[in-house]
mmCIF file with all atom_site columns, all heavy atoms in Angstrom:
data_model
loop_
_atom_site.group_PDB
_atom_site.id
_atom_site.type_symbol
_atom_site.label_atom_id
_atom_site.label_alt_id
_atom_site.label_comp_id
_atom_site.label_asym_id
_atom_site.label_entity_id
_atom_site.label_seq_id
_atom_site.pdbx_PDB_ins_code
_atom_site.Cartn_x
_atom_site.Cartn_y
_atom_site.Cartn_z
_atom_site.occupancy
_atom_site.B_iso_or_equiv
_atom_site.pdbx_formal_charge
_atom_site.auth_seq_id
_atom_site.auth_comp_id
_atom_site.auth_asym_id
_atom_site.auth_atom_id
_atom_site.pdbx_PDB_model_num
ATOM 1   N N   . ARG A 1 242 ? -4.495 -18.700 -14.632 1.00 97.00 ? 242 ARG A N   1
ATOM 2   C CA  . ARG A 1 242 ? -4.082 -18.633 -16.035 1.00 97.00 ? 242 ARG A CA  1
ATOM 3   C C   . ARG A 1 242 ? -2.570 -18.824 -16.189 1.00 97.00 ? 242 ARG A C   1
ATOM 4   O O   . ARG A 1 242 ? -2.109 -19.486 -17.118 1.00 97.00 ? 242 ARG A O   1
ATOM 5   C CB  . ARG A 1 242 ? -4.504 -17.287 -16.630 1.00 97.00 ? 242 ARG A CB  1
ATOM 6   C CG  . ARG A 1 242 ? -5.998 -17.195 -16.902 1.00 97.00 ? 242 ARG A CG  1
ATOM 7   C CD  . ARG A 1 242 ? -6.386 -15.799 -17.311 1.00 97.00 ? 242 ARG A CD  1
ATOM 8   N NE  . ARG A 1 242 ? -7.461 -15.804 -18.288 1.00 97.00 ? 242 ARG A NE  1
ATOM 9   C CZ  . ARG A 1 242 ? -8.000 -14.723 -18.810 1.00 97.00 ? 242 ARG A CZ  1
ATOM 10  N NH1 . ARG A 1 242 ? -7.544 -13.535 -18.467 1.00 97.00 ? 242 ARG A NH1 1
ATOM 11  N NH2 . ARG A 1 242 ? -8.973 -14.792 -19.693 1.00 97.00 ? 242 ARG A NH2 1
ATOM 12  N N   . LEU A 1 243 ? -1.796 -18.224 -15.286 1.00 97.00 ? 243 LEU A N   1
ATOM 13  C CA  . LEU A 1 243 ? -0.337 -18.391 -15.364 1.00 97.00 ? 243 LEU A CA  1
ATOM 14  C C   . LEU A 1 243 ? 0.043  -19.857 -15.214 1.00 97.00 ? 243 LEU A C   1
ATOM 15  O O   . LEU A 1 243 ? 0.910  -20.372 -15.938 1.00 97.00 ? 243 LEU A O   1
ATOM 16  C CB  . LEU A 1 243 ? 0.345  -17.564 -14.262 1.00 97.00 ? 243 LEU A CB  1
ATOM 17  C CG  . LEU A 1 243 ? 0.290  -16.044 -14.394 1.00 97.00 ? 243 LEU A CG  1
ATOM 18  C CD1 . LEU A 1 243 ? 0.901  -15.376 -13.155 1.00 97.00 ? 243 LEU A CD1 1
ATOM 19  C CD2 . LEU A 1 243 ? 1.034  -15.578 -15.646 1.00 97.00 ? 243 LEU A CD2 1
ATOM 20  N N   . LEU A 1 244 ? -0.590 -20.548 -14.275 1.00 98.00 ? 244 LEU A N   1
ATOM 21  C CA  . LEU A 1 244 ? -0.262 -21.958 -14.042 1.00 98.00 ? 244 LEU A CA  1
ATOM 22  C C   . LEU A 1 244 ? -0.637 -22.814 -15.242 1.00 98.00 ? 244 LEU A C   1
ATOM 23  O O   . LEU A 1 244 ? 0.135  -23.663 -15.674 1.00 98.00 ? 244 LEU A O   1
ATOM 24  C CB  . LEU A 1 244 ? -0.981 -22.459 -12.782 1.00 98.00 ? 244 LEU A CB  1
ATOM 25  C CG  . LEU A 1 244 ? -0.400 -21.968 -11.448 1.00 98.00 ? 244 LEU A CG  1
ATOM 26  C CD1 . LEU A 1 244 ? -1.361 -22.263 -10.303 1.00 98.00 ? 244 LEU A CD1 1
ATOM 27  C CD2 . LEU A 1 244 ? 0.953  -22.629 -11.181 1.00 98.00 ? 244 LEU A CD2 1
ATOM 28  N N   . ILE A 1 245 ? -1.821 -22.575 -15.789 1.00 97.00 ? 245 ILE A N   1
ATOM 29  C CA  . ILE A 1 245 ? -2.251 -23.388 -16.939 1.00 97.00 ? 245 ILE A CA  1
ATOM 30  C C   . ILE A 1 245 ? -1.321 -23.154 -18.123 1.00 97.00 ? 245 ILE A C   1
ATOM 31  O O   . ILE A 1 245 ? -0.884 -24.106 -18.797 1.00 97.00 ? 245 ILE A O   1
ATOM 32  C CB  . ILE A 1 245 ? -3.706 -23.050 -17.307 1.00 97.00 ? 245 ILE A CB  1
ATOM 33  C CG1 . ILE A 1 245 ? -4.653 -23.620 -16.241 1.00 97.00 ? 245 ILE A CG1 1
ATOM 34  C CG2 . ILE A 1 245 ? -4.060 -23.603 -18.686 1.00 97.00 ? 245 ILE A CG2 1
ATOM 35  C CD1 . ILE A 1 245 ? -6.111 -23.303 -16.481 1.00 97.00 ? 245 ILE A CD1 1
ATOM 36  N N   . GLU A 1 246 ? -0.975 -21.909 -18.398 1.00 96.00 ? 246 GLU A N   1
ATOM 37  C CA  . GLU A 1 246 ? -0.148 -21.598 -19.560 1.00 96.00 ? 246 GLU A CA  1
ATOM 38  C C   . GLU A 1 246 ? 1.275  -22.140 -19.385 1.00 96.00 ? 246 GLU A C   1
ATOM 39  O O   . GLU A 1 246 ? 1.841  -22.730 -20.304 1.00 96.00 ? 246 GLU A O   1
ATOM 40  C CB  . GLU A 1 246 ? -0.116 -20.083 -19.771 1.00 96.00 ? 246 GLU A CB  1
ATOM 41  C CG  . GLU A 1 246 ? 0.428  -19.673 -21.122 1.00 96.00 ? 246 GLU A CG  1
ATOM 42  C CD  . GLU A 1 246 ? -0.035 -18.280 -21.524 1.00 96.00 ? 246 GLU A CD  1
ATOM 43  O OE1 . GLU A 1 246 ? -0.573 -17.544 -20.686 1.00 96.00 ? 246 GLU A OE1 1
ATOM 44  O OE2 . GLU A 1 246 ? 0.162  -17.931 -22.712 1.00 96.00 ? 246 GLU A OE2 1
ATOM 45  N N   . ALA A 1 247 ? 1.847  -21.949 -18.197 1.00 95.00 ? 247 ALA A N   1
ATOM 46  C CA  . ALA A 1 247 ? 3.239  -22.377 -17.998 1.00 95.00 ? 247 ALA A CA  1
ATOM 47  C C   . ALA A 1 247 ? 3.361  -23.891 -17.881 1.00 95.00 ? 247 ALA A C   1
ATOM 48  O O   . ALA A 1 247 ? 4.408  -24.455 -18.203 1.00 95.00 ? 247 ALA A O   1
ATOM 49  C CB  . ALA A 1 247 ? 3.796  -21.709 -16.733 1.00 95.00 ? 247 ALA A CB  1
ATOM 50  N N   . SER A 1 248 ? 2.294  -24.563 -17.427 1.00 95.00 ? 248 SER A N   1
ATOM 51  C CA  . SER A 1 248 ? 2.396  -26.012 -17.214 1.00 95.00 ? 248 SER A CA  1
ATOM 52  C C   . SER A 1 248 ? 2.448  -26.798 -18.510 1.00 95.00 ? 248 SER A C   1
ATOM 53  O O   . SER A 1 248 ? 2.639  -28.017 -18.484 1.00 95.00 ? 248 SER A O   1
ATOM 54  C CB  . SER A 1 248 ? 1.228  -26.503 -16.346 1.00 95.00 ? 248 SER A CB  1
ATOM 55  O OG  . SER A 1 248 ? -0.002 -26.267 -17.004 1.00 95.00 ? 248 SER A OG  1
ATOM 56  N N   . SER A 1 249 ? 2.308  -26.127 -19.652 1.00 92.00 ? 249 SER A N   1
ATOM 57  C CA  . SER A 1 249 ? 2.474  -26.833 -20.933 1.00 92.00 ? 249 SER A CA  1
ATOM 58  C C   . SER A 1 249 ? 3.953  -27.112 -21.213 1.00 92.00 ? 249 SER A C   1
ATOM 59  O O   . SER A 1 249 ? 4.285  -27.900 -22.095 1.00 92.00 ? 249 SER A O   1
ATOM 60  C CB  . SER A 1 249 ? 1.881  -25.996 -22.078 1.00 92.00 ? 249 SER A CB  1
ATOM 61  O OG  . SER A 1 249 ? 2.574  -24.768 -22.198 1.00 92.00 ? 249 SER A OG  1
ATOM 62  N N   . GLN A 1 250 ? 4.854  -26.463 -20.441 1.00 90.00 ? 250 GLN A N   1
ATOM 63  C CA  . GLN A 1 250 ? 6.288  -26.697 -20.618 1.00 90.00 ? 250 GLN A CA  1
ATOM 64  C C   . GLN A 1 250 ? 6.700  -27.985 -19.899 1.00 90.00 ? 250 GLN A C   1
ATOM 65  O O   . GLN A 1 250 ? 6.195  -28.297 -18.819 1.00 90.00 ? 250 GLN A O   1
ATOM 66  C CB  . GLN A 1 250 ? 7.085  -25.518 -20.051 1.00 90.00 ? 250 GLN A CB  1
ATOM 67  C CG  . GLN A 1 250 ? 6.753  -24.184 -20.698 1.00 90.00 ? 250 GLN A CG  1
ATOM 68  C CD  . GLN A 1 250 ? 7.438  -23.023 -19.988 1.00 90.00 ? 250 GLN A CD  1
ATOM 69  O OE1 . GLN A 1 250 ? 8.230  -23.221 -19.089 1.00 90.00 ? 250 GLN A OE1 1
ATOM 70  N NE2 . GLN A 1 250 ? 7.117  -21.819 -20.412 1.00 90.00 ? 250 GLN A NE2 1
ATOM 71  N N   . ASP A 1 251 ? 7.627  -28.702 -20.512 1.00 88.00 ? 251 ASP A N   1
ATOM 72  C CA  . ASP A 1 251 ? 8.129  -29.927 -19.896 1.00 88.00 ? 251 ASP A CA  1
ATOM 73  C C   . ASP A 1 251 ? 8.756  -29.607 -18.547 1.00 88.00 ? 251 ASP A C   1
ATOM 74  O O   . ASP A 1 251 ? 9.454  -28.600 -18.391 1.00 88.00 ? 251 ASP A O   1
ATOM 75  C CB  . ASP A 1 251 ? 9.182  -30.578 -20.803 1.00 88.00 ? 251 ASP A CB  1
ATOM 76  C CG  . ASP A 1 251 ? 8.568  -31.105 -22.090 1.00 88.00 ? 251 ASP A CG  1
ATOM 77  O OD1 . ASP A 1 251 ? 7.335  -31.326 -22.109 1.00 88.00 ? 251 ASP A OD1 1
ATOM 78  O OD2 . ASP A 1 251 ? 9.312  -31.283 -23.072 1.00 88.00 ? 251 ASP A OD2 1
ATOM 79  N N   . ASP A 1 252 ? 8.533  -30.475 -17.581 1.00 94.00 ? 252 ASP A N   1
ATOM 80  C CA  . ASP A 1 252 ? 9.171  -30.382 -16.261 1.00 94.00 ? 252 ASP A CA  1
ATOM 81  C C   . ASP A 1 252 ? 8.780  -29.124 -15.496 1.00 94.00 ? 252 ASP A C   1
ATOM 82  O O   . ASP A 1 252 ? 9.470  -28.721 -14.559 1.00 94.00 ? 252 ASP A O   1
ATOM 83  C CB  . ASP A 1 252 ? 10.709 -30.415 -16.426 1.00 94.00 ? 252 ASP A CB  1
ATOM 84  C CG  . ASP A 1 252 ? 11.405 -30.760 -15.112 1.00 94.00 ? 252 ASP A CG  1
ATOM 85  O OD1 . ASP A 1 252 ? 10.846 -31.566 -14.351 1.00 94.00 ? 252 ASP A OD1 1
ATOM 86  O OD2 . ASP A 1 252 ? 12.467 -30.182 -14.833 1.00 94.00 ? 252 ASP A OD2 1
ATOM 87  N N   . PHE A 1 253 ? 7.653  -28.472 -15.882 1.00 96.00 ? 253 PHE A N   1
ATOM 88  C CA  . PHE A 1 253 ? 7.290  -27.215 -15.221 1.00 96.00 ? 253 PHE A CA  1
ATOM 89  C C   . PHE A 1 253 ? 7.067  -27.392 -13.724 1.00 96.00 ? 253 PHE A C   1
ATOM 90  O O   . PHE A 1 253 ? 7.583  -26.621 -12.908 1.00 96.00 ? 253 PHE A O   1
ATOM 91  C CB  . PHE A 1 253 ? 6.029  -26.615 -15.860 1.00 96.00 ? 253 PHE A CB  1
ATOM 92  C CG  . PHE A 1 253 ? 5.425  -25.507 -15.034 1.00 96.00 ? 253 PHE A CG  1
ATOM 93  C CD1 . PHE A 1 253 ? 6.009  -24.258 -14.987 1.00 96.00 ? 253 PHE A CD1 1
ATOM 94  C CD2 . PHE A 1 253 ? 4.281  -25.730 -14.267 1.00 96.00 ? 253 PHE A CD2 1
ATOM 95  C CE1 . PHE A 1 253 ? 5.476  -23.247 -14.208 1.00 96.00 ? 253 PHE A CE1 1
ATOM 96  C CE2 . PHE A 1 253 ? 3.733  -24.725 -13.491 1.00 96.00 ? 253 PHE A CE2 1
ATOM 97  C CZ  . PHE A 1 253 ? 4.334  -23.475 -13.459 1.00 96.00 ? 253 PHE A CZ  1
ATOM 98  N N   . TRP A 1 254 ? 6.284  -28.416 -13.333 1.00 97.00 ? 254 TRP A N   1
ATOM 99  C CA  . TRP A 1 254 ? 5.905  -28.520 -11.917 1.00 97.00 ? 254 TRP A CA  1
ATOM 100 C C   . TRP A 1 254 ? 7.118  -28.798 -11.036 1.00 97.00 ? 254 TRP A C   1
ATOM 101 O O   . TRP A 1 254 ? 7.244  -28.235 -9.940  1.00 97.00 ? 254 TRP A O   1
ATOM 102 C CB  . TRP A 1 254 ? 4.838  -29.602 -11.738 1.00 97.00 ? 254 TRP A CB  1
ATOM 103 C CG  . TRP A 1 254 ? 3.533  -29.217 -12.377 1.00 97.00 ? 254 TRP A CG  1
ATOM 104 C CD1 . TRP A 1 254 ? 2.986  -29.739 -13.517 1.00 97.00 ? 254 TRP A CD1 1
ATOM 105 C CD2 . TRP A 1 254 ? 2.631  -28.199 -11.927 1.00 97.00 ? 254 TRP A CD2 1
ATOM 106 N NE1 . TRP A 1 254 ? 1.801  -29.111 -13.803 1.00 97.00 ? 254 TRP A NE1 1
ATOM 107 C CE2 . TRP A 1 254 ? 1.554  -28.171 -12.841 1.00 97.00 ? 254 TRP A CE2 1
ATOM 108 C CE3 . TRP A 1 254 ? 2.628  -27.326 -10.851 1.00 97.00 ? 254 TRP A CE3 1
ATOM 109 C CZ2 . TRP A 1 254 ? 0.489  -27.283 -12.690 1.00 97.00 ? 254 TRP A CZ2 1
ATOM 110 C CZ3 . TRP A 1 254 ? 1.565  -26.448 -10.692 1.00 97.00 ? 254 TRP A CZ3 1
ATOM 111 C CH2 . TRP A 1 254 ? 0.514  -26.435 -11.610 1.00 97.00 ? 254 TRP A CH2 1
ATOM 112 N N   . GLU A 1 255 ? 8.028  -29.659 -11.524 1.00 96.00 ? 255 GLU A N   1
ATOM 113 C CA  . GLU A 1 255 ? 9.233  -29.927 -10.732 1.00 96.00 ? 255 GLU A CA  1
ATOM 114 C C   . GLU A 1 255 ? 10.090 -28.669 -10.645 1.00 96.00 ? 255 GLU A C   1
ATOM 115 O O   . GLU A 1 255 ? 10.654 -28.356 -9.596  1.00 96.00 ? 255 GLU A O   1
ATOM 116 C CB  . GLU A 1 255 ? 10.027 -31.080 -11.360 1.00 96.00 ? 255 GLU A CB  1
ATOM 117 C CG  . GLU A 1 255 ? 9.347  -32.433 -11.254 1.00 96.00 ? 255 GLU A CG  1
ATOM 118 C CD  . GLU A 1 255 ? 9.105  -32.839 -9.798  1.00 96.00 ? 255 GLU A CD  1
ATOM 119 O OE1 . GLU A 1 255 ? 9.991  -32.574 -8.958  1.00 96.00 ? 255 GLU A OE1 1
ATOM 120 O OE2 . GLU A 1 255 ? 8.027  -33.402 -9.502  1.00 96.00 ? 255 GLU A OE2 1
ATOM 121 N N   . ALA A 1 256 ? 10.220 -27.960 -11.771 1.00 97.00 ? 256 ALA A N   1
ATOM 122 C CA  . ALA A 1 256 ? 11.023 -26.723 -11.776 1.00 97.00 ? 256 ALA A CA  1
ATOM 123 C C   . ALA A 1 256 ? 10.412 -25.672 -10.845 1.00 97.00 ? 256 ALA A C   1
ATOM 124 O O   . ALA A 1 256 ? 11.132 -24.959 -10.140 1.00 97.00 ? 256 ALA A O   1
ATOM 125 C CB  . ALA A 1 256 ? 11.123 -26.178 -13.198 1.00 97.00 ? 256 ALA A CB  1
ATOM 126 N N   . LEU A 1 257 ? 9.080  -25.612 -10.825 1.00 97.00 ? 257 LEU A N   1
ATOM 127 C CA  . LEU A 1 257 ? 8.404  -24.636 -9.965  1.00 97.00 ? 257 LEU A CA  1
ATOM 128 C C   . LEU A 1 257 ? 8.663  -24.937 -8.492  1.00 97.00 ? 257 LEU A C   1
ATOM 129 O O   . LEU A 1 257 ? 8.963  -24.035 -7.699  1.00 97.00 ? 257 LEU A O   1
ATOM 130 C CB  . LEU A 1 257 ? 6.906  -24.649 -10.265 1.00 97.00 ? 257 LEU A CB  1
ATOM 131 C CG  . LEU A 1 257 ? 6.035  -23.689 -9.455  1.00 97.00 ? 257 LEU A CG  1
ATOM 132 C CD1 . LEU A 1 257 ? 6.430  -22.239 -9.706  1.00 97.00 ? 257 LEU A CD1 1
ATOM 133 C CD2 . LEU A 1 257 ? 4.548  -23.903 -9.784  1.00 97.00 ? 257 LEU A CD2 1
ATOM 134 N N   . MET A 1 258 ? 8.563  -26.197 -8.121  1.00 96.00 ? 258 MET A N   1
ATOM 135 C CA  . MET A 1 258 ? 8.762  -26.546 -6.707  1.00 96.00 ? 258 MET A CA  1
ATOM 136 C C   . MET A 1 258 ? 10.234 -26.376 -6.301  1.00 96.00 ? 258 MET A C   1
ATOM 137 O O   . MET A 1 258 ? 10.521 -25.927 -5.187  1.00 96.00 ? 258 MET A O   1
ATOM 138 C CB  . MET A 1 258 ? 8.265  -27.974 -6.451  1.00 96.00 ? 258 MET A CB  1
ATOM 139 C CG  . MET A 1 258 ? 6.737  -28.071 -6.475  1.00 96.00 ? 258 MET A CG  1
ATOM 140 S SD  . MET A 1 258 ? 6.090  -29.626 -5.848  1.00 96.00 ? 258 MET A SD  1
ATOM 141 C CE  . MET A 1 258 ? 6.550  -30.708 -7.189  1.00 96.00 ? 258 MET A CE  1
ATOM 142 N N   . ARG A 1 259 ? 11.159 -26.737 -7.201  1.00 97.00 ? 259 ARG A N   1
ATOM 143 C CA  . ARG A 1 259 ? 12.584 -26.517 -6.882  1.00 97.00 ? 259 ARG A CA  1
ATOM 144 C C   . ARG A 1 259 ? 12.856 -25.023 -6.682  1.00 97.00 ? 259 ARG A C   1
ATOM 145 O O   . ARG A 1 259 ? 13.562 -24.611 -5.762  1.00 97.00 ? 259 ARG A O   1
ATOM 146 C CB  . ARG A 1 259 ? 13.465 -27.050 -8.021  1.00 97.00 ? 259 ARG A CB  1
ATOM 147 C CG  . ARG A 1 259 ? 13.646 -28.556 -8.057  1.00 97.00 ? 259 ARG A CG  1
ATOM 148 C CD  . ARG A 1 259 ? 14.833 -28.931 -8.934  1.00 97.00 ? 259 ARG A CD  1
ATOM 149 N NE  . ARG A 1 259 ? 14.721 -28.425 -10.281 1.00 97.00 ? 259 ARG A NE  1
ATOM 150 C CZ  . ARG A 1 259 ? 14.140 -29.082 -11.291 1.00 97.00 ? 259 ARG A CZ  1
ATOM 151 N NH1 . ARG A 1 259 ? 13.616 -30.285 -11.075 1.00 97.00 ? 259 ARG A NH1 1
ATOM 152 N NH2 . ARG A 1 259 ? 14.084 -28.550 -12.494 1.00 97.00 ? 259 ARG A NH2 1
#
Side-chain angles (χ1 to χ4, degrees):
R242 286 172 145 180
L243 291 175
L244 286 167
I245 288 178
E246 194 158 12
S248 62
S249 63
Q250 301 173 6
D251 292 339
D252 198 35
F253 167 75
W254 293 108
E255 291 300 321
L257 180 62
M258 288 192 288
R259 283 197 303 270

